[in-house]
Amino acid sequence: MTALDDDPGFGVYVHWPFCRSKCPYCDFNSHVREAVDHDRWRRALLRELDHFADQTAGRTVGSIFFGGGTPSLMAPATAAAVIDRAAERWTMVPDVEITLEANPTSVETGTFDGFAAAGVNRVSLGVQALDDSALGFLGRGHSAAEAMSAVAEAARRFERFSFDLIYARPGQTVAQWTAELDQALAHAEGHLSVYQLTIEPGTQFHTLHGRGELGMPDADTQAALFDATQRVLGDAGLPAYEISNHARPGQESRHNLVYWRYGDYAGIGPGAHGRLTRADGSKWATRTHRAPEIWLERVERDGHAEAPREAVSPADRLAEMLMMGLRLTEGVALGRVLAETGCDLHSQVDGDAVGRLVEGGFLTLDRDRLSATAAGRQRLDAVLSTLLA
Ligand SMILES: C[S@@+](CC[C@H](N)C(=O)[O-])C[C@H]1O[C@@H](n2cnc3c(N)ncnc32)[C@H](O)[C@@H]1O
Ligand code: SF4
C-alpha cells in the first residue's frame, strides 16, 4: 500500500442496477428486469459522467469501479464508452485500476474478452461459497465448479482478479470454513473478499429470520469464524487490510482504499453515492436517485439524477473518516484528520473513551495514527459508538 499520509486519490464509481435474479440476502440496489435498453442506458451513464466531470475538472482518476447489481450483464460496449469518456474528461493515472464486478456464470465469462478489450483490468467475482448446497441456500445460479472455471477464466484474461465469499452461514463450523478457505486459496491470487453473512432489512432472509427459520451462528461462533479467517488467510500471505478484505501487499483494491481513506469519488448511475471536495475545502455528499427507471428519465431530462447536494460538516467529516478508516488495518492517519476537519483528533474525541478502548485491546494510538486491532475491527460498531458518543 502507498504511504498513509498520501492523497487518497480520486475514483469513479459506476452503478449497474440489474441482476438476473435477486439473492435472498442482498439489499444492494439491484433489480430484475425482463429487458434493458442498453443503448439508452449507455447514453444516460455518459451524460451523468459528464455532469460530474464538469464539476471535478482537473482531477486525476486513479480507479474506476463498475459495481452493482451485476455489471458483467452490461454490454461491454457500455463499459468501453464509459472508460473512453472518463479518459476524455479527466486525466487518468497511467496504471489506472478498472474493476468490474461479475457473477461467475458462463454467460458472464463469455463477455470477459469484450470487457478486457474495453479496458477493464481487474475483475471481482461473486463466488460466495465453494459448496453446492451452500450456493443453493444463498439462492445463487451457479455451481462451485462453474464458479471455479469462471475464476480460471478471469485469471487468464485480466491482470488482477478477486473473488467474494460469504461466511457465518447457518450451521457452518470453524472446521468447515477453514477447509473452504483452504480450497479458495488454491484458486486465489492477490485478493479475496470474505463477508460475514448479515441479515439485512427488506431481504427474504430477514423475513425467514424474523420467523425463526434461519439459525444464524451465535456471537461466539461468529468471532471464532472471524479469527479463523484472519489466521488462515494471514498464514497464506493474504492478511486483512480491511475488515473483510485480504490481499498480498500491493494487491489491495485501490478503488476501495479511496473510500476507506476518505478520498473523493464521483458516483454515477442509480443510487450511487459520491464525496467531492471543492476548491474552498468544503466537502459535499452526492447521491443519485435509486430507482432505475426514474434515474433514467431524470438523466434524460436534466443531464443527471442527483438529489440536492449536502455539505458534510467538520463533525460529520470526522465521524465518516473514523467509520471508514478504522475498517482498515492501517487505521486513520492523524495528519489526514487535521486536513479534513481543521482540528486535531485529540480535541474532537473523548480521551477517556480512547484510553478505555486502547486498554481493552480494541484500538492502538501512536504519534501518527489511530488504528483498530483485529478484535476492534470485529466489533467496530461498538468501538465507533463508544468513540463517537
Ligand atoms: C454487488 S455484489 C457482487 C457482484 C455480483 N452481483 C454477485 O453477487 O456476484 C457484492 C458482494 O456483497 C456481498 N454481500 C451482499 N449482501 C450480503 C450480505 N447480506 N451478507 C454478506 N455479504 C453480502 C456478496 O459477497 C456480493 O458478492
Ligand atoms: S448478491 Fe449480486 S447477484 Fe445477488 S442480488 Fe445482490 S447484486 Fe445481484
Side-chain angles (χ1 to χ4, degrees):
M1 273 190 277
T2 49
L4 302 176
D5 295 317
D6 280 359
D7 173 1
F10 175 63
V12 177
Y13 175 79
V14 183
H15 192 79
W16 183 260
F18 304 116
C19 291
R20 209 173 285 287
S21 59
K22 184 80 190 175
C23 303
Y25 53 84
C26 179
D27 77 338
F28 282 69
N29 186 25
S30 60
H31 308 263
V32 179
R33 296 286 183 267
E34 292 249 308
V36 172
D37 183 338
H38 287 271
D39 289 340
R40 206 174 153 199
W41 273 83
R42 177 164 60 244
R43 284 193 298 273
L45 287 171
L46 293 177
R47 277 197 76 184
E48 201 171 54
L49 183 151
D50 279 336
H51 164 76
F52 284 105
D54 286 344
Q55 300 172 33
T56 51
R59 298 296 305 250
T60 298
V61 173
S63 59
I64 300 177
F65 193 101
F66 293 97
T70 306
S72 50
L73 295 175
M74 271 188 310
T78 302
V82 169
I83 294 166
D84 290 350
R85 184 65 65 88
E88 278 167 30
R89 298 300 316 261
W90 290 289
T91 306
M92 304 255 239
V93 298
D95 59 344
V96 60
E97 175 189 273
I98 305 183
T99 305
L100 176 87
E101 284 185 339
N103 270 20
T105 68
S106 50
V107 178
E108 272 95 337
T109 52
T111 53
F112 275 1
D113 279 340
F115 285 114
V120 170
N121 53 26
R122 183 174 180 273
V123 163
S124 172
L125 289 153
V127 169
Q128 321 305 6
L130 295 173
D131 167 86
D132 285 343
S133 69
L135 286 168
F137 162 75
L138 292 170
R140 301 295 297 198
H142 60 264
S143 65
E146 201 177 357
M148 286 305 102
S149 89
V151 166
E153 286 296 304
R156 253 197 299 280
R157 282 161 218 268
F158 298 96
E159 279 166 44
R160 297 160 70 202
F161 74 91
S162 175
F163 58 91
D164 298 349
L165 295 173
I166 295 181
Y167 73 101
R169 309 187 296 255
Q172 195 176 31
T173 64
V174 170
Q176 285 167 344
W177 174 230
T178 51
E180 195 169 353
L181 280 177
D182 283 336
Q183 213 187 325
L185 282 166
H187 300 273
E189 273 177 15
H191 193 283
L192 270 180
S193 301
V194 283
Y195 299 108
Q196 191 161 318
L197 177 60
T198 51
I199 302 301
E200 303 290 352
T203 61
Q204 272 182 47
F205 275 7
H206 192 259
T207 311
L208 289 177
H209 191 248
R211 287 199 220 123
E213 291 170 21
L214 213 59
M216 293 295 287
D218 60 23
D220 286 348
T221 309
Q222 288 185 357
L225 290 164
F226 180 84
D227 291 344
T229 309
Q230 310 309 300
R231 191 181 63 248
V232 174
L233 296 183
D235 287 351
L238 282 92
Y241 68 100
E242 190 267 350
I243 297 176
S244 311
N245 284 279
H246 293 250
R248 295 195 191 285
Q251 291 301 316
E252 298 85 3
S253 159
R254 279 182 247 149
H255 185 82
N256 287 334
L257 280 176
V258 171
Y259 303 148
W260 295 320
R261 289 178 173 163
Y262 206 44
D264 276 9
Y265 53 100
I268 293 159
H273 290 245
R275 288 287 180 281
L276 300 176
T277 307
R278 287 195 184 150
D280 64 4
S282 60
K283 189 141 189 153
W284 295 80
T286 71
R287 79 195 148 83
T288 58
H289 202 284
R290 268 176 79 84
E293 289 72 21
I294 299 176
W295 176 87
L296 192 58
E297 281 165 19
R298 297 234 173 122
V299 173
E300 287 174 344
R301 191 188 65 195
D302 302 330
H304 66 85
E306 247 203 85
R309 226 174 249 195
E310 284 169 23
V312 189
S313 69
D316 286 343
R317 284 167 85 153
L318 175 73
E320 289 188 341
M321 209 174 176
L322 294 177
M323 280 189 264
M324 290 288 152
L326 292 180
R327 301 180 65 90
L328 289 172
T329 307
E330 69 181 23
V332 178
L334 301 185
R336 290 270 301 121
V337 173
L338 185 61
E340 278 290 332
T341 64
C343 299
D344 73 3
L345 178 81
H346 300 287
S347 66
Q348 301 181 78
V349 294
D350 173 0
D352 289 344
V354 175
R356 282 196 307 277
L357 290 164
V358 169
E359 253 172 52
F362 301 112
L363 287 181
T364 58
L365 177 65
D366 64 25
R367 206 167 48 84
D368 302 321
R369 73 185 102 148
L370 177 72
S371 316
T373 60
R377 291 196 297 278
Q378 210 257 319
R379 303 162 182 79
L380 191 58
D381 288 349
V383 169
L384 285 167
S385 59
T386 307
L387 204 54
L388 297 168

